[in-house]
Amino acid sequence: MKDLLAADLVEPLGEGESSGGRPPDMIRFKAERGCLLAIDISADRISYLLTDLNGSELETRSFSLARRRATPDAICGYIAEELKTMLRKHRKTREQLLAIVVGVPAITNVDEGTVLSISTLEGWRSIPLRSMLSKIIDCLIIVENDINLAAEGEHYCGAAQAENDFVLIHIGMNVGAGIFLGGRIHHGSQWSAGEIAYLRLPSVSRRQPMIHEFGELESVLTSTGILRSWNEGKGKASLDKRRTLRELDAVGILNLAQVGDARAEEIVRRRAEIVADIITNLSLILNPGLILMGGEIGSHPVLIDSVRKHLHGSEFGLTKVMPSVPGNKAVLWGGIALALGEVPGVLLPQPN
């Protein structure tokens, strides 16, 4: 209690009602004492979530990287500008920002705060992002893979709150998995656990994976891969129809499959076969209690339904397959969940 008072984390409220013995001392946790920030860096935008020390949302904001430089230095500059704006708006000092957690679409060395490679952004190889951000703000900074943070978000406030062993498969602009075992993120010995885009499958793989290149599954399963397959098959359509089809995005193609378009259904079926193989392999190796499907492609009902059909009847290692819940904020809420776990160590005196 003395430590909490010294850190200005609690406020005495007086005595409560007695139940027969000495009246209890009533206190209030001062969540406004500080704030936490989660940042999600993707190929096309940066998103922010600022909360108090209870994890209650203060502000969410996002801006596009279209027609902007996306080098590490430029990204850090954008973060510095947004950080200054948000703290001023909410009347917080820099000292009150206790932790920043940054999610990036890359293999990351969490211990060193280093981004090993982002294939979707130029100049992002072996980048000491934590060190760069520490020049902007003096607080605890954690750099983590975005899908790992999304899995953390699902455990914190999503579909996996009751699960300590689950896998989140994300399929959107990229492909990856967040592996949650024993109540925590599983990174692997070289930080590459969950990089399923590099899995070798007989129907797809042609060469050994390279860390600075796209995984071969990304050329098939992602939004780009789905659009490529769709465009390859529309050559015989009339000119007017081709113009209409050109306006479709990958989600639109999945929507067509949902209403019975034969060509769209075939595209979904082929992807579902691959995803079902991935799920079977993950289930046999890890035996999780739940597989979550996230991302604009992965969480689409028509893909999940098709995957379930392919898995039906298997007797080995299969678990529940469900869509993710927090959607495009899963990475941000996962970052806040990690930050909340670090707050006691930041604020309270540590034993020698």
Side-chain angles (χ1 to χ4, degrees):
M1 182 64 176
K2 290 181 179 179
D3 289 342
L4 295 173
L5 287 168
D8 195 27
L9 285 173
V10 295
E11 177 183 13
L13 298 178
E15 292 184 344
E17 293 185 8
S18 172
S19 58
R22 182 181 179 277
D25 292 326
M26 303 295 291
I27 60 173
R28 181 185 72 87
F29 176 62
K30 299 175 69 173
E32 69 278 8
R33 161 67 175 80
C35 56
L36 309 169
L37 180 64
I39 304 173
D40 180 11
I41 302 173
S42 68
D44 60 353
R45 67 180 48 251
I46 306 179
S47 301
Y48 304 85
L49 172 59
L50 185 71
T51 75
D52 65 16
L53 298 187
N54 274 332
S56 298
E57 181 177 330
L58 297 177
E59 182 174 1
T60 303
R61 59 172 59 199
S62 179
F63 75 87
S64 173
L65 289 174
R67 296 183 295 277
R68 288 175 176 259
R69 294 175 63 242
T71 63
D73 285 333
I75 293 292
C76 288
Y78 305 147
I79 291 173
E81 293 173 8
E82 292 298 312
L83 178 60
K84 182 178 179 180
T85 299
M86 284 189 287
L87 291 179
R88 183 190 300 121
K89 177 180 177 180
H90 295 277
R91 299 180 180 180
K92 302 291 185 184
T93 65
R94 286 178 173 262
E95 290 72 27
Q96 287 179 293
L97 180 60
L98 302 186
I100 297 176
V101 180
V102 185
V104 292
I107 300 173
T108 60
N109 183 323
V110 180
D111 287 347
E112 297 179 0
T114 303
V115 180
L116 301 183
S117 173
I118 299 183
S119 54
T120 53
L121 291 175
E122 290 296 325
W124 283 79
R125 294 185 181 180
S126 301
I127 300 300
L129 186 57
R130 183 173 66 198
S131 176
M132 295 173 70
L133 290 174
S134 68
K135 297 175 183 177
I136 297 170
I137 185 73
D138 182 18
C139 70
L140 174 69
I141 298 173
I142 299 172
V143 178
E144 177 62 275
N145 171 267
D146 58 350
I147 311 303
N148 285 343
L149 285 183
E152 187 79 54
E154 292 288 348
H155 188 255
Y156 176 63
C157 61
Q161 294 179 64
E163 301 286 345
N164 281 328
D165 298 281
F166 70 94
V167 178
L168 168 65
I169 296 176
H170 174 95
I171 307 174
M173 293 298 292
N174 58 351
V175 178
I179 300 173
F180 210 82
L181 298 177
R184 59 188 301 174
I185 296 169
H186 176 69
H187 292 102
S189 62
Q190 295 179 314
W191 307 100
S192 60
E195 293 295 326
I196 61 173
Y198 299 94
L199 283 177
R200 297 188 54 75
L201 297 179
S203 60
V204 178
S205 304
R206 295 179 179 84
R207 54 184 170 76
Q208 292 296 326
M210 305 291 289
I211 189 173
H212 296 310
E213 298 178 2
F214 284 106
E216 289 183 285
L217 288 182
E218 287 184 313
S219 67
V220 179
L221 294 179
T222 58
S223 304
T224 303
I226 289 173
L227 279 171
R228 185 183 301 113
S229 293
W230 177 260
N231 290 329
E232 288 171 354
K234 70 182 184 187
K236 297 180 179 180
S238 67
L239 179 60
D240 288 342
K241 189 172 182 180
R242 286 202 302 272
R243 286 173 178 166
T244 301
L245 295 179
R246 261 200 307 269
E247 298 172 1
L248 281 173
D249 60 9
V251 173
I253 295 168
L254 269 61
N255 290 341
L256 281 179
Q258 202 166 17
V259 296
D261 181 274
R263 189 152 58 86
E265 285 182 329
E266 178 60 19
I267 288 173
V268 170
R269 185 192 64 78
R270 292 201 302 268
R271 271 71 186 174
E273 285 180 348
I274 295 172
V275 175
D277 284 344
I278 293 171
I279 289 175
T280 299
N281 291 337
L282 288 173
S283 297
L284 286 167
I285 295 168
L286 302 175
N287 192 27
L290 175 67
I291 298 285
L292 290 179
M293 300 288 292
E296 62 176 6
I297 303 302
S299 62
H300 198 287
V302 73
L303 180 65
I304 293 178
D305 288 345
S306 186
V307 167
R308 286 171 174 162
K309 289 176 183 176
H310 280 88
L311 293 174
H312 181 71
S314 178
E315 297 179 347
F316 287 97
L318 297 181
T319 61
K320 296 174 291 185
V321 178
M322 296 173 53
S324 62
V325 172
N328 59 8
K329 288 189 178 181
V331 175
L332 295 173
W333 282 115
I336 294 301
L338 277 189
L340 286 169
E342 298 292 335
V343 165
V346 173
L347 284 176
L348 299 179
Q350 300 299 301
N352 294 326

